[in-house]
Amino acid sequence: MSRYYTRACNFYYGLKSKIFVKKKLTLPLNGNSEISFDKIEIISRKSSKIINVSEIHKLPISLKKKIKEDIKNISLKKNIKNLSFSSTPKVMGVLNVTPDSFSDGGKYNRIGSAKKHLDYLFKSGANIVDIGGESTRPGSQAISSKVEWRRVEDILKKTCKKKLISLDTRKSDIMEKGIKLGVNLINDVSGLNYDNHSVNILKRYKVPFVLQHSQGNPDVMQKNPKYQNVLLDIYDFFEEKIKFLRKIGIKHNNIILDPGIGFGKNLKHNMTIIKNISIYHSLGLPILLGISKKRYIKELSGKNDSISRVGGTVSTSIFVMMQGVQMIRVHDVNEINQSIKVFKELIK
């Protein structure tokens, strides 16, 4: 029997969405009437078909049951501890206290500059800031826990009790130390595959975390990545991982899904994910997308590429916001918030 997936599509935003939801012409996303949809794409590995939500009752009984379950997940209100998604997208700022991260390596690896930039990110409207002490850019090599902790310890001690902080790490011992200092969210780019003890730490402390998809470790992940169907392969990865987490006793829904743009994906893979990102809403958990300054912007813009890549980051942020992505991870928090505010006013 074919396996089917449900992707919400044809979204409406703002006042028009509220009116359509009230008239029952559209279904709200994430329990939020400010963004809604009236079509779904029913996808298998062999075919796809777009229908109006009003036509679901015409489907075969077994498929209709599956689609209704997916739509329930899509429409479900999704929040995580300390962070509400009643209005979206939330903005996750980036602070790399490393000498070699691809965008800001070396800029903030001293406590003074790190603290100053962290304050600027929050002042610019970041809802949470992701602090990382190990570069996971394509081609990077792993570092020891000792080196990584030395980089992040001071900034975490100065900020965790005052601000919402995410810790970007693949290592269970770093996770545990960070959680004890008051870290609010763990962001593991390996999808909990790098360190087998990570799941035990997350289970013990019941802390919210980001479950990211990545194909291979950073040193090799961009060497000819392959998928049967990148969109559905990642969906299956998430589904199996969530089943595993439930089985070992992580019952809470304080989990965010990140398909991992640029982590073991080429340009075609990245574009397929971004264009169809709303498929992951049917897993019933909020979606995070890290698109800031990524290589795909250079590949698409050609001679118009720049060091900052703000234009490509802004356009992608608006595009995924219109598909209901709950959180975007960016370096240029002020510029992204500016674009979101202006866009929301324009579509009122």
Side-chain angles (χ1 to χ4, degrees), residues 127-227:
N127 301 103
I128 188 168
V129 171
D130 195 33
I131 299 177
E134 178 186 43
S135 173
T136 50
R137 75 189 191 285
S140 62
Q141 300 292 321
I143 61 172
S144 69
S145 291
K146 183 178 180 181
V147 171
E148 184 177 346
W149 183 246
R150 186 171 68 236
R151 292 175 180 176
V152 300
E153 181 180 11
D154 287 346
I155 189 66
L156 293 180
K157 284 181 176 178
K158 286 183 177 292
T159 58
C160 278
K161 300 297 183 182
K162 303 173 184 178
K163 303 286 186 179
L164 281 178
I165 298 297
S166 168
L167 180 57
D168 179 358
T169 185
R170 302 180 291 170
K171 302 183 181 74
S172 60
D173 54 336
I174 303 295
M175 292 179 189
E176 185 167 30
K177 289 177 181 179
I179 292 167
K180 287 180 176 179
L181 287 180
V183 163
N184 305 99
L185 181 73
I186 295 295
N187 182 17
D188 180 353
V189 300
S190 79
L192 308 178
N193 288 332
Y194 183 80
D195 184 335
N196 292 332
H197 296 293
S198 296
V199 291
N200 298 324
I201 297 300
L202 297 174
K203 179 182 176 182
R204 183 185 308 166
Y205 292 98
K206 299 180 174 62
V207 66
F209 59 94
V210 177
L211 181 61
Q212 180 180 302
H213 176 273
S214 179
Q215 190 182 90
N217 289 324
D219 57 336
V220 297
M221 65 186 180
Q222 290 306 104
K223 294 182 179 179
N224 195 28
K226 293 181 179 179
Y227 299 85

Side-chain angles (χ1 to χ4, degrees), residues 1-127:
M1 183 177 177
S2 295
R3 166 80 161 93
Y4 290 98
Y5 306 77
T6 308
R7 183 178 76 88
C9 53
N10 204 43
F11 288 96
Y12 299 86
Y13 208 92
L15 181 60
K16 180 182 281 189
S17 175
K18 288 183 177 181
I19 292 171
F20 282 4
V21 169
K22 192 173 182 178
K23 291 182 177 181
K24 297 185 178 179
L25 298 173
T26 60
L27 297 176
L29 182 89
N30 191 40
N32 179 8
S33 62
E34 287 191 350
I35 180 167
S36 61
F37 61 99
D38 64 2
K39 294 182 187 294
I40 58 167
E41 184 179 12
I42 302 171
I43 305 170
S44 75
R45 289 185 178 266
K46 295 181 179 180
S47 65
S48 68
K49 179 182 181 181
I50 294 177
I51 65 170
N52 290 312
V53 294
S54 60
E55 298 177 300
I56 293 172
H57 71 281
K58 299 178 182 178
L59 297 171
I61 293 175
S62 58
L63 179 56
K64 180 166 61 177
K65 182 180 179 181
K66 169 69 168 66
I67 299 302
K68 284 187 173 181
E69 288 174 357
D70 286 347
I71 286 180
K72 183 179 178 181
N73 282 334
I74 293 166
S75 301
L76 186 71
K77 185 176 288 187
K78 306 172 188 73
N79 296 305
I80 65 167
K81 187 177 179 182
N82 296 321
L83 200 58
S84 168
F85 296 117
S86 56
S87 62
T88 55
K90 299 300 182 188
V91 176
M92 173 186 276
V94 180
L95 176 61
N96 291 313
V97 286
T98 63
D100 56 345
S101 291
F102 82 94
S103 175
D104 51 3
K107 285 186 177 181
Y108 311 116
N109 56 342
R110 294 187 179 184
I111 186 61
S113 58
K115 180 65 167 58
K116 183 177 180 181
H117 190 62
L118 185 104
D119 290 342
Y120 171 72
L121 292 172
F122 279 113
K123 185 179 179 181
S124 298
N127 301 103

